[in-house]
Structures are given as C-alpha cells and as structure tokens.
Amino acid sequence: MTAIFKRELKSYFTSSIGYIYLGITLLISGWFFVANNLYYAISDMSYFFANLTFIFIFLVPMLTMRLFTEEVKNKTDQLLLTSPVTVTQIVIGKYFSASALFGLTLFITMAYPAVMFLYGDPLIYSILGHYLGFFLLGSSLIAIGVFVSASTESQITAAIISFVVMLFIWLTDWIASTITNEIFKKVIEWLSVLKRYQEFTTGILSLSSVVYFISFASVFIFLTVQTIEKKRWS
Amino acid sequence: MIEIVNLTKRYGKKKAVDNVSFKVEKGEILGFLGPNGAGKTTTMNIITGYLSCTEGKVVVDGLDVLKHPEEVKRKIGYLPEQPPLYMDMTVIDYLDFVYDLKKIKLPNRSEHIAGIMETVRISDVSHRLIKNLSKGYKQRVGLAQALLGNPEILILDEPTVGLDPKQINEIRNVIKELGRERTIILSSHILPEVSAICERVIIINNGRLVASDTPENLSKNLSNSTDFTVRIEGENEKVNQVLNTIEGIEFISSKKVEDNIFDYFIKTYESDIRREVFFALAEHKMPILLLKTQNLSLEDVFLKLTTVEEAGEEVEKTLTEEAPSEDANTDANTDTEMTAKEGTDNDSDI
C-alpha cells in the first residue's frame, strides 16, 4: 500500500498534472484571498472557501481521472493485481495519494490566514473549522473521483463524468430548496455534503459530520473495490 | 507445483478456456502453445490471479489461488503479454517500486536489483525513462520485474516478442538457466523456441487442451505416417508413370528442383513402400538422389492438432450449409466459419 501511495504521489510530479493542479489551485486561491479578504480587510474566510469549493468541482477530476484509467491503458493493473496486495490496499493507496496532494495544497494556502494573524486577530476556530471541513469535503469528492476513474475506460470520460457528478453535488442544496415534498427534501438535505461542510465553518467540531464524511468516502472506496473485483469475475 | 483442475472461463456465452486440466512439476519448463485466441493468456491470467475462473481451480504448491491469493502471488513472477511498465518512471525507480509492491524482503536489496538488471542486461539503461526505451529493452525490463524476489514460479507470456535475434538468444539462455531451479510456464508463437527451451509442451486450441507431451514424443506420435519425399533424376512424366505402377500410393505431387530433377512427395496408404519405389526406379535406370521420410516438426504437429478436430466440423458445415455465415451468435457457427477458412488454407498448401 505504501509503495502504491508513494509511486502515485511521485507520478503526479513526474507528469505535468501535479504542477498544473498545484499552480491553478494556488493562483486562484491567492486571488480569492486578495479579492475577498485583503481587499475588504475582513478576516472571515467564508467567501474564500465558498469560491474555492466551486473551483474544486473542476480540480478534483484532474486529480483522480488518471488513477485507474491509466493503469488499465498501460496494462500495469496486471502488475498490481498479480502482486501480493489486496484490491482494497491498491484503492486506498491511490486514494490517499490524491488526498495527500489535495491536503498539501490546502496546507500551503494556510499562508493566507497566517498573513491575517500577523496584522489582526481573526477567529482561529472558525478558520480551523473551515480548513478541516474543506479537507473532509475535498476528500469525499476525491473518493467519488476515484470511483469514477475505476468505472470508466479513458481519462477524458472519467474527467467529464466526475465533473458532472461534482456539479450535481454542488447543486444539491439548490435542488433541495425547490422540492416541496417535505420527506424527500429532508432526505436530500441530509445527503448534502455541502450542508455538512457548512457546520464546520461556524467553528463547531461536530463528530457526526466527521463520521459522515469518513463514511461517505468509505462507501465510494468500497464501491471502487467492488468495481475492480467485478471486472475480474466477469 | 502447479495443478490446474477442470479450469473453465466463460465470457458471456463464449468459453475462453474450456475444462482444461494439467500439472506442472517443480523445476519443469512447460511450453504453452496455441493459435491466437486459444486461451493461453486467459489461462495464465487465471493462474496468476489477475482473472478469476468460472469453474475449476488452480492450486499452486498446495494452495488454492482464490483462497490464498497473497501467498500464491508471492511465489509467482509474471510477465504478461504487454510488459506492465510505468512509462514515466526510470528503470531503477520502477524496479524499486516493484520490489516494495511485491513485499520482497531480501537482505541485500540494491545488490539483488542490480544482479537482476545484469542478468537481463539492462544495467546500461537503469537511469533512463522507460517510455524512451526500445521495445526490446521494455520487454527486458518486464522480465526483470518478473524475476524480482527470486520467485519459485515464473509465468512468461511470449517473452521474446519484439526482440532481435541476438536478444532472443540471450533471453532464451536466461530462461534455460533460470529453469534449472525454477518452475516456468512459457507461452510462445515461435515453435522452435518452445522445442529448444521446454521439456514439455501443452497445446491448447479453442480453449481446450489438445495435447500434452515432450516435443519429441509429440512429433513421433503424430508422424507415424509412411509418407516420404524422394528426389529422382529423370523426365517427370516417365517417373510418374513408373511410380504409378507401384501399389499403395495415395497420391503424388512433384516439384522441380533442377532440369530433369524433381522432388516427389508420395502419400501412401499407410504401408512402407520405400523398397518397392527403389526397385521400380532402379529397373528404369532412374537414380534416387534423396529420400526422406516425412518427420513432422513441432510446427506440423501444432498445425495438425489445432486443425484436426475442425476437420470433423467441416462435415457438419456441409450438412448445414444454409447456415448464414454472418450470424455468429452461436459458438458452433463461429467455429465452422473458422474451419471453412482454415480448410481452404490447408488445401492451398498441398
């Protein structure tokens, strides 16, 4: 598992994709920070993260699209699946590598609140909540991307499908608001990852939300494992 | 060492591997032959645990592949048809990764990797990116990957494809060398290769096992015919006349070698008529320059075995001739279609 994790992480940077991802994320987030926080001289990072969430609809597919499609294309999946590792270990290794790169970028953006702490006194728990929530949200989206990558044949298909799925997730709250059936509405609201994420932004660490995100990612990792296993049995 | 019991793999309705059973003893080099799409790769993929079988089982060293996948996979080094290489890695990084991936625990890691690179002669490209290597080198990196950790069993799917003759020779020697202490299953299209390296050959056709023996026995058993080729000096017509007087000849075909010298392939009704031919020709003062019995090479055996049962189906085809050839829904139909093609091929050969 660690071997796969290390190789994947490294391969983000031996191909251009890691640099493109890092570059785009940091450039856009930097601009959001300037536009939302520095320009208006406010320490609340809600707008910053709200904007960043939207950008991640595009960025997550970039991280995950090649994870499994490339293996199948180069037939390297034969190497992985005939090695003494389980499919679960392969999937988790890959998932962690994408999450690690995502976490790394997020870590770099911590420079922005650091700047604010130099000149003011922002609400630290709210900012930490934002970061933790955003990391969990992103990791859940990555799990979806990993699943899509294992279910499709080419990188482009994987990217497009992941993008559409992310878009729907982004729209869940809006969709929920248009539904009149109370029960149905409740169900959709409960499923909404963005609603859960909002809880963190108030600076409250809610255990149920943490569990929710971890379960969310686990379900998709489980589905990914099943998809790969199914290919071998068909 | 490896035991395959009633292995069947179905893709939808099509049976890629159909009730195949065989055993491979420890230290044996087994050749795996078959035309394209016969099920060689599928069988190998099942043994290595890449695919699962529909029915039957594979037992490696007493362990069922499906029940103990990790233990079995540790024992096997596998070189698939297309070497599983990460194009964006250097050779040494790649082998390093595979070493970790296979959870190999040897005391001298870097020496082990260097030794293997030496064996397959890739030390000079160890720091180059795999995507920039030639096909021959890629193939050898693939082989190096399979050798990492000194697995007891090597499964090589067409290991010499894409190599130049010199490299082929080198790799063959490497495989022979390795075969001394290891069990090897090797698939190949190149028949001389199989007869040169392998102690035993398995021929598979349409997913079914059609033969399993040593290369020598295979050609011996199947070449019990009394057909022979004879080179005779004399006018073609006259020679034919003389030969036609001899009883027991099914048919004769001749081929010109030089002026007035012809090679005659004589197919007999399973009786040895070489003496009769000699005396008949001697009587007419027609010297025999050469006479050789038709010894089947492994190649002939292979063709014979992989087309034999289809001959039977050809009859079926003539009986049900109205069956439209486009309708390939059922296995039977596709089979007869193939037969028809192969049948004509054979005719033109004669």
Side-chain angles (χ1 to χ4, degrees), chain B residues 41-73:
Chain B
T41 302
T42 309
T43 309
M44 291 184 146
N45 277 337
I46 294 171
I47 299 173
T48 53
Y50 175 62
L51 290 175
S52 62
C53 51
T54 318
E55 278 161 42
K57 63 174 177 178
V58 177
V59 180
V60 175
D61 219 2
L63 296 168
D64 191 314
V65 171
L66 286 178
K67 284 177 192 143
H68 308 272
E70 287 195 39
E71 288 95 323
V72 171
K73 284 170 184 175

Side-chain angles (χ1 to χ4, degrees), chain A residues 138-208:
Chain A
S139 302
S140 302
L141 297 182
I142 287 170
I144 298 176
V146 168
F147 171 63
V148 173
S149 177
S151 322
T152 47
E153 299 281 321
S154 81
Q155 281 198 45
I156 301 294
T157 332
I160 292 171
I161 294 180
S162 317
F163 167 68
V164 171
V165 173
M166 309 280 149
L167 202 62
F168 262 99
I169 286 173
W170 194 70
L171 292 173
T172 12
D173 285 345
W174 181 74
I175 294 170
S177 70
T178 61
I179 293 172
T180 44
N181 185 324
E182 265 319 302
I183 301 162
F184 202 41
K185 187 174 180 166
K186 273 266 164 10
V187 171
I188 290 196
E189 275 177 352
W190 185 82
L191 282 173
S192 164
V193 275
L194 289 175
K195 264 256 155 39
R196 297 280 169 173
Y197 161 63
Q198 243 99 60
E199 284 179 22
F200 285 94
T201 61
T202 51
I204 298 165
L205 182 64
S206 137
L207 191 64
S208 82

Side-chain angles (χ1 to χ4, degrees), chain B residues 102-298:
Chain B
K102 290 191 174 174
K103 299 178 182 168
I104 300 164
K105 292 198 173 56
L106 291 174
N108 43 354
R109 180 193 179 106
S110 50
E111 280 166 47
H112 177 65
I113 295 177
I116 281 171
M117 288 202 292
E118 201 56 54
T119 314
V120 297
R121 292 166 197 266
I122 48 171
S123 309
D124 48 333
V125 294
S126 62
H127 289 285
R128 281 176 59 184
L129 282 179
I130 292 176
K131 67 177 162 200
N132 296 333
L133 297 179
S134 71
K135 192 162 191 297
Y137 268 113
K138 281 181 186 157
Q139 189 71 22
R140 285 192 265 173
V141 177
L143 186 61
Q145 162 273 123
L147 295 178
L148 276 178
N150 300 325
E152 295 165 62
I153 301 165
L154 282 176
I155 296 185
L156 311 172
D157 201 349
E158 300 186 7
T160 53
V161 160
L163 303 180
D164 64 40
K166 188 169 162 274
Q167 296 169 334
I168 288 181
N169 227 349
E170 280 173 17
I171 294 293
R172 276 184 200 166
N173 290 335
V174 168
I175 294 170
K176 262 191 189 169
E177 195 67 31
L178 292 166
R180 282 186 194 164
E181 59 237 52
R182 268 169 248 205
T183 312
I184 299 179
I185 300 183
L186 167 129
S187 86
S188 181
H189 283 310
I190 310 162
L191 297 152
E193 175 168 291
V194 172
S195 46
I197 304 177
C198 303
E199 292 142 16
R200 200 155 62 89
V201 176
I202 278 185
I203 299 180
I204 185 172
N205 186 38
N206 282 335
R208 266 166 291 189
L209 196 72
V210 288
S212 158
D213 214 328
T214 60
E216 294 77 25
N217 276 348
L218 275 179
S219 21
K220 210 187 289 168
N221 290 344
L222 282 157
S223 60
N224 53 2
S225 77
T226 47
D227 307 343
F228 58 94
T229 307
V230 59
R231 183 172 293 174
I232 304 164
E233 193 177 340
E235 269 175 58
N236 191 10
E237 251 173 69
K238 284 184 184 167
V239 174
N240 267 321
Q241 274 173 11
V242 173
L243 289 175
N244 277 326
T245 60
I246 301 162
E247 270 180 41
I249 295 178
E250 196 179 335
F251 73 83
I252 303 166
S253 65
S254 56
K255 198 173 85 191
K256 189 175 176 177
V257 185
E258 279 171 49
D259 273 353
N260 251 2
I261 298 177
F262 289 83
D263 271 352
Y264 300 84
F265 170 72
I266 299 180
K267 188 161 169 53
T268 64
Y269 291 113
E270 292 183 12
S271 59
D272 189 356
I273 54 157
R274 283 174 298 177
R275 287 163 197 86
E276 285 85 341
V277 171
F278 171 79
F279 287 121
L281 290 166
E283 210 172 286
H284 291 86
K285 301 231 178 300
M286 290 166 177
I288 292 176
L289 305 177
L290 183 91
L291 190 147
K292 65 173 184 217
T293 50
Q294 201 65 23
N295 247 336
L296 287 181
S297 66
L298 195 55

